[in-house]
Amino acid sequence: MTKIFLFGATGDLSVRKLYPALYELFSRDRLPEDTQIICISRRPYDTEQFHSFLIDNVGGTRDVKKWFTFIKKLTYFQLSFPVLEDYIALKEEVDGDADSVNIFYLATAPQFFKPIVEHLSSADLLRNGNLNNRIVFEKPFGKNLQTAREINDHLVQYVVEDQIYRMDHYLGKEMIQNIMMLRFSNMIYDASWNKDYIDHIQITVAESVGVMERAQYYDKAGAIRDMIQSHLLQMLSLVALTPEGTLDSEDILRSKTEVLKALYIEDVKKDVVIGQYSGNGEVKAYREEKGVAPDSRTETYAAMKLKVDLPRWEGVDFYLQTGKRLEKKVSEIVIVYKCPNLGTYRDCPQNVMVIEIYPQEGMRFKFNMKKPGETKTLITREMEFCQSCMIDYAAPEAYETLIYEVVNGNHDLFTRWDEVWNEWVFVEKMLNECTNLQENLQYYEPGSKGPKAAGDLLLRDGRSWYSL
Ligand code: BG6
Protein backbone atom coordinates (compact mmCIF):
# COMPACT_ATOMS: atom_id res chain seq x y z
CA MET A 1 0.00 0.00 0.00
CA THR A 2 1.20 3.53 -0.82
CA LYS A 3 -0.11 6.47 1.16
CA ILE A 4 0.56 10.05 0.11
CA PHE A 5 -0.06 12.58 2.89
CA LEU A 6 -0.32 15.97 1.26
CA PHE A 7 0.22 18.80 3.75
CA GLY A 8 -0.90 22.19 2.45
CA ALA A 9 -3.73 20.57 0.53
CA THR A 10 -5.62 23.78 -0.18
CA GLY A 11 -2.55 25.86 -0.98
CA ASP A 12 -1.58 27.43 -4.26
CA LEU A 13 1.08 24.86 -5.17
CA SER A 14 -1.21 21.90 -4.55
CA VAL A 15 -3.98 23.44 -6.63
CA ARG A 16 -1.80 24.57 -9.52
CA LYS A 17 0.71 21.74 -9.73
CA LEU A 18 0.20 18.77 -7.42
CA TYR A 19 -3.40 17.70 -8.13
CA PRO A 20 -2.90 18.00 -11.90
CA ALA A 21 0.31 15.93 -11.59
CA LEU A 22 -1.32 13.31 -9.35
CA TYR A 23 -4.26 13.15 -11.74
CA GLU A 24 -1.94 12.54 -14.71
CA LEU A 25 -0.13 9.80 -12.82
CA PHE A 26 -3.45 8.23 -11.91
CA SER A 27 -4.90 8.44 -15.41
CA ARG A 28 -1.76 6.98 -16.97
CA ASP A 29 -1.75 4.13 -14.42
CA ARG A 30 1.59 5.25 -13.04
CA LEU A 31 0.54 5.14 -9.39
CA PRO A 32 0.34 1.81 -7.54
CA GLU A 33 -3.27 0.67 -7.70
CA ASP A 34 -3.72 0.70 -3.92
CA THR A 35 -2.47 4.32 -3.52
CA GLN A 36 -4.34 6.43 -0.97
CA ILE A 37 -4.04 10.20 -1.08
CA ILE A 38 -4.82 11.96 2.18
CA CYS A 39 -5.14 15.72 1.75
CA ILE A 40 -4.35 17.69 4.87
CA SER A 41 -4.87 21.32 5.79
CA ARG A 42 -6.33 23.55 8.46
CA ARG A 43 -9.59 24.35 6.70
CA PRO A 44 -12.67 22.86 8.36
CA TYR A 45 -13.79 20.74 5.41
CA ASP A 46 -15.10 17.23 5.30
CA THR A 47 -14.10 15.08 2.33
CA GLU A 48 -17.20 16.04 0.34
CA GLN A 49 -16.60 19.77 0.83
CA PHE A 50 -12.98 19.26 -0.12
CA HIS A 51 -14.03 17.55 -3.35
CA SER A 52 -16.15 20.62 -4.16
CA PHE A 53 -13.13 22.80 -3.43
CA LEU A 54 -11.10 20.79 -5.96
CA ILE A 55 -13.83 20.96 -8.59
CA ASP A 56 -14.09 24.73 -8.16
CA ASN A 57 -10.39 25.48 -8.00
CA VAL A 58 -8.24 23.07 -10.00
CA GLY A 59 -8.08 24.42 -13.54
CA GLY A 60 -7.25 22.70 -16.81
CA THR A 61 -9.12 20.52 -19.24
CA ARG A 62 -9.22 16.79 -18.71
CA ASP A 63 -11.41 13.75 -19.18
CA VAL A 64 -14.36 14.52 -16.87
CA LYS A 65 -15.14 10.92 -15.97
CA LYS A 66 -11.53 10.15 -15.07
CA TRP A 67 -11.21 13.42 -13.16
CA PHE A 68 -14.21 12.58 -10.97
CA THR A 69 -12.95 9.04 -10.42
CA PHE A 70 -9.61 10.52 -9.37
CA ILE A 71 -11.19 13.04 -7.01
CA LYS A 72 -13.11 10.26 -5.28
CA LYS A 73 -9.80 8.65 -4.36
CA LEU A 74 -8.78 11.70 -2.33
CA THR A 75 -9.79 11.93 1.29
CA TYR A 76 -9.54 15.00 3.47
CA PHE A 77 -8.17 15.33 6.98
CA GLN A 78 -8.31 18.56 8.97
CA LEU A 79 -5.15 19.18 10.95
CA SER A 80 -3.49 22.16 12.55
CA PHE A 81 0.26 21.91 11.87
CA PRO A 82 1.43 22.81 15.40
CA VAL A 83 -1.03 20.51 17.27
CA LEU A 84 0.34 17.07 18.18
CA GLU A 85 -3.11 15.63 19.05
CA ASP A 86 -4.15 16.13 15.42
CA TYR A 87 -1.28 13.89 14.25
CA ILE A 88 -2.26 11.24 16.78
CA ALA A 89 -5.80 11.38 15.39
CA LEU A 90 -4.37 11.11 11.86
CA LYS A 91 -2.39 8.05 12.85
CA GLU A 92 -5.55 6.42 14.26
CA GLU A 93 -7.43 7.24 11.08
CA VAL A 94 -4.92 5.80 8.62
CA ASP A 95 -3.09 3.16 10.57
CA GLY A 96 -3.11 -0.47 9.58
CA ASP A 97 -0.38 -1.57 7.27
CA ALA A 98 3.09 -1.46 8.82
CA ASP A 99 4.82 -2.14 5.49
CA SER A 100 3.13 0.61 3.54
CA VAL A 101 5.11 3.27 1.72
CA ASN A 102 4.21 6.52 3.49
CA ILE A 103 5.02 9.72 1.63
CA PHE A 104 4.69 12.97 3.54
CA TYR A 105 4.60 15.79 1.02
CA LEU A 106 5.13 19.18 2.70
CA ALA A 107 3.66 21.71 0.28
CA THR A 108 3.62 24.26 3.10
CA ALA A 109 5.48 27.39 4.07
CA PRO A 110 8.97 26.52 5.43
CA GLN A 111 8.10 27.65 8.98
CA PHE A 112 5.91 24.56 9.28
CA PHE A 113 8.62 22.07 8.27
CA LYS A 114 9.94 21.67 11.80
CA PRO A 115 6.66 21.14 13.70
CA ILE A 116 5.28 18.82 11.05
CA VAL A 117 8.34 16.55 11.07
CA GLU A 118 8.54 16.53 14.85
CA HIS A 119 4.86 15.67 15.33
CA LEU A 120 4.85 13.04 12.57
CA SER A 121 7.66 11.40 14.42
CA SER A 122 6.03 11.73 17.88
CA ALA A 123 2.82 10.25 16.52
CA ASP A 124 4.89 7.37 15.13
CA LEU A 125 3.82 8.05 11.56
CA LEU A 126 7.39 8.80 10.47
CA ARG A 127 10.08 6.36 11.59
CA ASN A 128 13.76 7.18 11.61
CA GLY A 129 15.72 5.02 9.18
CA ASN A 130 12.67 3.44 7.51
CA LEU A 131 13.24 4.21 3.83
CA ASN A 132 9.56 3.53 3.13
CA ASN A 133 8.75 6.60 5.18
CA ARG A 134 9.66 9.41 2.81
CA ILE A 135 9.39 13.10 3.35
CA VAL A 136 9.20 15.62 0.52
CA PHE A 137 10.13 19.28 0.98
CA GLU A 138 9.16 22.02 -1.37
CA LYS A 139 11.54 24.85 -1.97
CA PRO A 140 12.58 27.18 -0.48
CA PHE A 141 14.56 24.96 1.87
CA GLY A 142 15.27 27.78 4.30
CA LYS A 143 15.40 31.52 3.80
CA ASN A 144 19.16 31.71 4.11
CA LEU A 145 22.13 29.63 5.17
CA GLN A 146 21.25 29.75 8.84
CA THR A 147 17.57 28.81 8.52
CA ALA A 148 18.38 26.07 5.98
CA ARG A 149 20.87 24.63 8.44
CA GLU A 150 18.41 24.90 11.33
CA ILE A 151 15.79 23.00 9.33
CA ASN A 152 18.27 20.35 8.34
CA ASP A 153 19.74 19.97 11.85
CA HIS A 154 16.23 19.53 13.12
CA LEU A 155 15.34 17.05 10.40
CA VAL A 156 18.26 14.73 10.94
CA GLN A 157 17.05 14.10 14.49
CA TYR A 158 14.03 12.34 13.01
CA VAL A 159 15.03 10.93 9.62
CA VAL A 160 18.12 9.91 7.65
CA GLU A 161 19.14 11.76 4.46
CA ASP A 162 17.86 8.89 2.29
CA GLN A 163 14.32 9.49 3.57
CA ILE A 164 14.44 13.14 2.45
CA TYR A 165 13.38 14.36 -1.01
CA ARG A 166 14.14 18.07 -1.53
CA MET A 167 12.25 19.38 -4.51
CA ASP A 168 13.69 21.56 -7.22
CA HIS A 169 11.06 21.16 -9.90
CA TYR A 170 13.54 22.20 -12.61
CA LEU A 171 15.23 18.83 -12.14
CA GLY A 172 12.00 17.16 -13.26
CA LYS A 173 11.95 19.03 -16.58
CA GLU A 174 12.66 16.91 -19.62
CA MET A 175 15.51 18.95 -21.09
CA ILE A 176 17.23 19.38 -17.75
CA GLN A 177 17.25 15.62 -17.29
CA ASN A 178 18.56 15.47 -20.84
CA ILE A 179 21.73 17.47 -20.11
CA MET A 180 23.58 14.38 -18.87
CA MET A 181 22.46 12.23 -21.80
CA LEU A 182 23.38 14.87 -24.33
CA ARG A 183 26.79 15.43 -22.86
CA PHE A 184 27.85 11.88 -22.25
CA SER A 185 26.19 9.91 -25.02
CA ASN A 186 27.46 12.18 -27.81
CA MET A 187 31.18 12.17 -28.35
CA ILE A 188 30.91 15.38 -30.35
CA TYR A 189 29.72 17.27 -27.27
CA ASP A 190 31.59 15.48 -24.54
CA ALA A 191 34.94 15.97 -26.26
CA SER A 192 34.48 19.71 -26.63
CA TRP A 193 32.78 20.42 -23.29
CA ASN A 194 35.62 22.44 -21.79
CA LYS A 195 37.63 25.68 -21.77
CA ASP A 196 39.49 24.80 -24.98
CA TYR A 197 36.33 24.92 -27.07
CA ILE A 198 33.71 26.83 -25.08
CA ASP A 199 33.91 30.60 -24.88
CA HIS A 200 31.13 31.22 -22.42
CA ILE A 201 27.77 29.87 -21.22
CA GLN A 202 24.52 31.76 -20.64
CA ILE A 203 21.65 30.43 -18.55
CA THR A 204 18.36 32.30 -18.73
CA VAL A 205 15.09 31.69 -16.92
CA ALA A 206 12.86 34.62 -17.83
CA GLU A 207 9.20 35.00 -16.96
CA SER A 208 6.60 37.34 -18.40
CA VAL A 209 4.32 37.16 -15.35
CA GLY A 210 4.74 39.31 -12.27
CA VAL A 211 4.71 38.23 -8.65
CA MET A 212 1.04 37.17 -8.86
CA GLU A 213 -0.46 36.01 -5.55
CA ARG A 214 2.86 35.22 -3.90
CA ALA A 215 3.97 38.65 -2.72
CA GLN A 216 4.01 37.66 0.91
CA TYR A 217 6.75 35.13 0.26
CA TYR A 218 8.44 36.80 -2.70
CA ASP A 219 8.90 40.24 -1.18
CA LYS A 220 11.12 38.66 1.50
CA ALA A 221 12.95 36.45 -0.97
CA GLY A 222 13.59 38.20 -4.31
CA ALA A 223 14.96 36.72 -7.51
CA ILE A 224 18.35 35.67 -6.12
CA ARG A 225 16.94 33.54 -3.31
CA ASP A 226 13.86 32.42 -5.25
CA MET A 227 15.49 31.40 -8.53
CA ILE A 228 19.29 31.67 -8.55
CA GLN A 229 19.84 29.75 -5.29
CA SER A 230 17.89 26.79 -6.62
CA HIS A 231 16.97 26.39 -10.29
CA LEU A 232 19.76 28.34 -11.97
CA LEU A 233 22.55 26.95 -9.79
CA GLN A 234 21.22 23.44 -10.34
CA MET A 235 21.27 24.01 -14.10
CA LEU A 236 24.76 25.43 -13.91
CA SER A 237 26.05 22.53 -11.83
CA LEU A 238 24.67 19.98 -14.32
CA VAL A 239 26.26 21.80 -17.23
CA ALA A 240 29.62 22.26 -15.55
CA LEU A 241 30.16 19.02 -13.63
CA THR A 242 33.11 16.75 -14.33
CA PRO A 243 32.21 13.19 -13.33
CA GLU A 244 35.07 11.25 -11.95
CA GLY A 245 33.82 7.73 -11.73
CA THR A 246 30.98 5.68 -13.02
CA LEU A 247 28.38 8.38 -13.73
CA ASP A 248 26.11 6.76 -11.15
CA SER A 249 23.88 8.99 -8.99
CA GLU A 250 26.45 9.28 -6.19
CA ASP A 251 29.12 10.33 -8.64
CA ILE A 252 26.87 12.90 -10.31
CA LEU A 253 25.81 14.35 -6.95
CA ARG A 254 29.41 14.59 -5.78
CA SER A 255 30.47 16.26 -9.03
CA LYS A 256 27.57 18.75 -8.89
CA THR A 257 28.62 19.68 -5.37
CA GLU A 258 32.21 20.19 -6.55
CA VAL A 259 30.93 22.76 -9.06
CA LEU A 260 28.84 24.57 -6.45
CA LYS A 261 31.86 24.78 -4.14
CA ALA A 262 34.02 26.14 -6.96
CA LEU A 263 31.72 29.03 -7.90
CA TYR A 264 32.90 32.56 -7.42
CA ILE A 265 32.29 36.08 -8.67
CA GLU A 266 35.35 38.15 -9.46
CA ASP A 267 33.91 41.52 -8.55
CA VAL A 268 30.41 41.44 -7.09
CA LYS A 269 29.97 45.18 -7.55
CA LYS A 270 30.63 44.99 -11.25
CA ASP A 271 29.41 41.50 -12.06
CA VAL A 272 25.99 41.43 -10.42
CA VAL A 273 23.01 43.49 -11.57
CA ILE A 274 19.67 43.51 -9.82
CA GLY A 275 16.47 45.18 -10.92
CA GLN A 276 12.81 45.67 -10.09
CA TYR A 277 10.00 46.13 -12.59
CA SER A 278 8.38 49.50 -12.75
CA GLY A 279 4.88 50.04 -14.05
CA ASN A 280 3.36 51.45 -17.18
CA GLY A 281 -0.22 52.42 -18.04
CA GLU A 282 -1.30 48.77 -18.28
CA VAL A 283 0.87 46.91 -15.81
CA LYS A 284 1.36 47.70 -12.15
CA ALA A 285 4.84 48.31 -10.83
CA TYR A 286 6.14 45.63 -8.46
CA ARG A 287 5.75 48.06 -5.55
CA GLU A 288 2.08 48.52 -6.37
CA GLU A 289 1.32 44.79 -6.38
CA LYS A 290 -0.95 43.45 -3.64
CA GLY A 291 1.08 42.45 -0.59
CA VAL A 292 4.30 44.23 -1.62
CA ALA A 293 5.66 46.99 0.62
CA PRO A 294 5.29 50.33 -1.23
CA ASP A 295 8.98 51.09 -0.59
CA SER A 296 10.18 47.55 -1.30
CA ARG A 297 13.71 47.17 -2.67
CA THR A 298 13.32 43.47 -3.39
CA GLU A 299 14.86 42.46 -6.71
CA THR A 300 12.57 40.93 -9.31
CA TYR A 301 15.49 40.54 -11.72
CA ALA A 302 19.08 39.38 -11.29
CA ALA A 303 21.92 38.87 -13.73
CA MET A 304 25.48 37.90 -12.91
CA LYS A 305 28.78 36.72 -14.27
CA LEU A 306 30.30 33.72 -12.50
CA LYS A 307 33.48 31.69 -12.72
CA VAL A 308 33.95 28.05 -11.86
CA ASP A 309 37.30 27.43 -10.26
CA LEU A 310 37.92 24.00 -11.80
CA PRO A 311 40.56 23.12 -14.43
CA ARG A 312 37.89 22.33 -17.05
CA TRP A 313 36.48 25.87 -16.91
CA GLU A 314 39.52 28.07 -16.47
CA GLY A 315 38.79 31.45 -18.08
CA VAL A 316 35.21 30.55 -19.08
CA ASP A 317 32.46 32.98 -18.08
CA PHE A 318 29.06 31.75 -16.94
CA TYR A 319 26.25 34.30 -17.12
CA LEU A 320 22.97 33.77 -15.29
CA GLN A 321 19.85 35.88 -15.66
CA THR A 322 16.35 35.54 -14.31
CA GLY A 323 13.47 37.90 -13.78
CA LYS A 324 9.77 38.53 -13.71
CA ARG A 325 7.72 40.69 -16.08
CA LEU A 326 10.25 40.34 -18.88
CA GLU A 327 9.59 40.34 -22.60
CA LYS A 328 8.77 36.63 -22.76
CA LYS A 329 8.84 33.39 -20.83
CA VAL A 330 11.89 31.48 -21.88
CA SER A 331 14.28 29.01 -20.23
CA GLU A 332 17.45 28.13 -22.09
CA ILE A 333 21.04 27.14 -21.68
CA VAL A 334 23.22 28.68 -24.36
CA ILE A 335 26.70 27.35 -25.03
CA VAL A 336 28.79 29.70 -27.11
CA TYR A 337 31.88 28.13 -28.65
CA LYS A 338 35.21 29.80 -29.38
CA CYS A 339 36.21 30.84 -32.87
CA PRO A 340 38.61 28.48 -34.61
CA ASN A 341 42.23 29.50 -34.31
CA LEU A 342 42.86 29.06 -38.03
CA GLY A 343 43.83 31.69 -40.61
CA THR A 344 40.88 33.61 -42.00
CA TYR A 345 38.42 31.59 -39.94
CA ARG A 346 39.55 33.33 -36.78
CA ASP A 347 36.79 35.90 -37.06
CA CYS A 348 33.95 33.67 -38.20
CA PRO A 349 30.68 33.69 -36.24
CA GLN A 350 30.81 31.48 -33.18
CA ASN A 351 28.99 28.15 -33.02
CA VAL A 352 26.13 28.32 -30.58
CA MET A 353 24.30 25.39 -29.06
CA VAL A 354 21.05 26.07 -27.26
CA ILE A 355 19.41 23.59 -24.93
CA GLU A 356 15.79 24.68 -25.02
CA ILE A 357 13.76 24.06 -21.90
CA TYR A 358 10.82 26.39 -22.47
CA PRO A 359 8.65 27.20 -24.46
CA GLN A 360 9.97 24.47 -26.75
CA GLU A 361 11.87 21.45 -25.57
CA GLY A 362 14.71 20.69 -27.90
CA MET A 363 18.02 21.93 -29.26
CA ARG A 364 19.32 24.43 -31.77
CA PHE A 365 22.77 24.62 -33.23
CA LYS A 366 24.29 27.51 -35.18
CA PHE A 367 27.09 26.67 -37.54
CA ASN A 368 28.88 28.09 -40.56
CA MET A 369 28.91 26.95 -44.16
CA LYS A 370 30.03 28.18 -47.52
CA LYS A 371 27.52 30.37 -49.29
CA PRO A 372 26.26 28.48 -52.34
CA GLY A 373 27.73 29.78 -55.57
CA GLU A 374 30.51 31.72 -53.90
CA THR A 375 33.92 30.42 -53.07
CA LYS A 376 34.96 32.39 -50.02
CA THR A 377 31.82 33.67 -48.38
CA LEU A 378 30.60 32.18 -45.12
CA ILE A 379 26.98 32.00 -44.11
CA THR A 380 25.59 30.98 -40.72
CA ARG A 381 22.85 28.37 -40.62
CA GLU A 382 20.79 26.87 -37.83
CA MET A 383 19.78 23.27 -37.21
CA GLU A 384 16.93 22.67 -34.87
CA PHE A 385 15.37 19.68 -33.21
CA CYS A 386 12.09 20.38 -31.46
CA GLN A 387 11.17 17.44 -29.31
CA SER A 388 7.97 18.94 -27.96
CA CYS A 389 6.70 19.65 -31.51
CA MET A 390 6.46 15.96 -32.31
CA ILE A 391 2.92 14.76 -32.85
CA ASP A 392 3.02 11.87 -30.40
CA TYR A 393 5.02 13.79 -27.80
CA ALA A 394 3.50 13.40 -24.34
CA ALA A 395 6.27 13.91 -21.84
CA PRO A 396 5.15 14.24 -18.25
CA GLU A 397 5.16 17.62 -16.58
CA ALA A 398 8.00 18.12 -14.05
CA TYR A 399 5.88 17.48 -10.94
CA GLU A 400 4.48 14.29 -12.40
CA THR A 401 7.99 12.96 -12.96
CA LEU A 402 9.14 13.98 -9.51
CA ILE A 403 6.19 12.50 -7.62
CA TYR A 404 6.62 9.30 -9.61
CA GLU A 405 10.28 9.15 -8.55
CA VAL A 406 9.39 9.65 -4.87
CA VAL A 407 6.79 6.88 -5.05
CA ASN A 408 9.49 4.64 -6.50
CA GLY A 409 12.11 5.70 -3.96
CA ASN A 410 14.55 7.12 -6.52
CA HIS A 411 16.63 10.08 -5.34
CA ASP A 412 18.37 11.07 -8.55
CA LEU A 413 16.18 14.09 -9.34
CA PHE A 414 16.30 15.63 -5.85
CA THR A 415 18.81 17.88 -4.20
CA ARG A 416 20.99 16.52 -1.47
CA TRP A 417 21.82 18.53 1.64
CA ASP A 418 25.41 19.31 0.62
CA GLU A 419 24.12 20.79 -2.65
CA VAL A 420 21.56 22.99 -0.89
CA TRP A 421 24.17 24.00 1.66
CA ASN A 422 26.67 25.03 -1.00
CA GLU A 423 24.01 26.89 -2.98
CA TRP A 424 23.24 28.95 0.11
CA VAL A 425 26.93 29.47 0.89
CA PHE A 426 27.46 30.94 -2.58
CA VAL A 427 24.34 33.12 -2.49
CA GLU A 428 25.02 34.46 0.99
CA LYS A 429 28.61 35.26 0.17
CA MET A 430 27.47 37.22 -2.86
CA LEU A 431 24.79 39.09 -0.90
CA ASN A 432 27.18 39.86 1.97
CA GLU A 433 29.99 41.02 -0.28
CA CYS A 434 27.81 43.57 -1.90
CA THR A 435 26.10 45.52 0.81
CA ASN A 436 25.25 48.22 -1.67
CA LEU A 437 23.58 45.80 -4.08
CA GLN A 438 20.20 47.06 -2.93
CA GLU A 439 21.23 50.67 -3.42
CA ASN A 440 22.08 49.87 -7.01
CA LEU A 441 18.65 48.43 -7.73
CA GLN A 442 17.83 49.28 -11.35
CA TYR A 443 14.27 49.76 -12.52
CA TYR A 444 13.10 48.18 -15.75
CA GLU A 445 10.02 48.46 -17.91
CA PRO A 446 7.59 45.55 -17.74
CA GLY A 447 7.78 43.56 -20.96
CA SER A 448 11.38 44.61 -21.55
CA LYS A 449 14.66 42.68 -21.57
CA GLY A 450 15.46 43.77 -18.02
CA PRO A 451 17.67 46.63 -16.78
CA LYS A 452 20.07 48.20 -19.25
CA ALA A 453 22.96 47.50 -16.87
CA ALA A 454 22.37 43.76 -17.37
CA GLY A 455 22.94 44.17 -21.10
CA ASP A 456 26.07 46.18 -20.34
CA LEU A 457 27.36 43.31 -18.20
CA LEU A 458 27.86 41.27 -21.37
CA LEU A 459 28.54 44.16 -23.71
CA ARG A 460 31.61 44.95 -21.60
CA ASP A 461 32.96 41.54 -22.62
CA GLY A 462 31.97 42.08 -26.27
CA ARG A 463 28.97 39.74 -25.95
CA SER A 464 25.22 40.01 -25.74
CA TRP A 465 22.40 38.04 -24.18
CA TYR A 466 21.23 35.41 -26.57
CA SER A 467 17.76 34.53 -25.27
CA LEU A 468 16.17 37.92 -24.60
C1 BG6 B 1 9.42 28.68 -8.72
C2 BG6 B 1 9.58 30.10 -8.26
O1 BG6 B 1 10.32 27.84 -8.07
O2 BG6 B 1 9.63 28.62 -10.13
C3 BG6 B 1 8.61 31.01 -9.01
O3 BG6 B 1 9.34 30.16 -6.86
C4 BG6 B 1 8.74 30.84 -10.49
O4 BG6 B 1 8.82 32.37 -8.62
C5 BG6 B 1 8.70 29.38 -10.90
O5 BG6 B 1 7.67 31.53 -11.10
C6 BG6 B 1 9.06 29.19 -12.37
O6 BG6 B 1 8.87 27.87 -12.74
P1 BG6 B 1 8.52 27.47 -14.25
O7 BG6 B 1 8.47 25.99 -14.25
O8 BG6 B 1 7.20 28.11 -14.58
O9 BG6 B 1 9.63 28.04 -15.09
Side-chain angles (χ1 to χ4, degrees), residues 110 113 137-144 147-149 151-152 155 164 166 229 417 420 424:
F113 289 176
F137 292 93
E138 264 303 330
K139 74 167 260 284
F141 195 82
K143 286 186 280 189
N144 51 28
T147 50
R149 179 189 234 160
I151 295 171
N152 209 64
L155 259 184
I164 304 172
R166 293 183 198 82
Q229 182 271 334
W417 170 237
V420 176
W424 276 124

Side-chain angles (χ1 to χ4, degrees), residues 323-338:
K324 297 205 182 277
R325 282 258 184 261
L326 294 172
E327 187 183 77
K328 56 184 176 188
K329 180 164 171 67
V330 57
S331 304
E332 287 184 339
I333 299 172
V334 180
I335 313 219
V336 183
Y337 287 84
K338 291 189 165 166

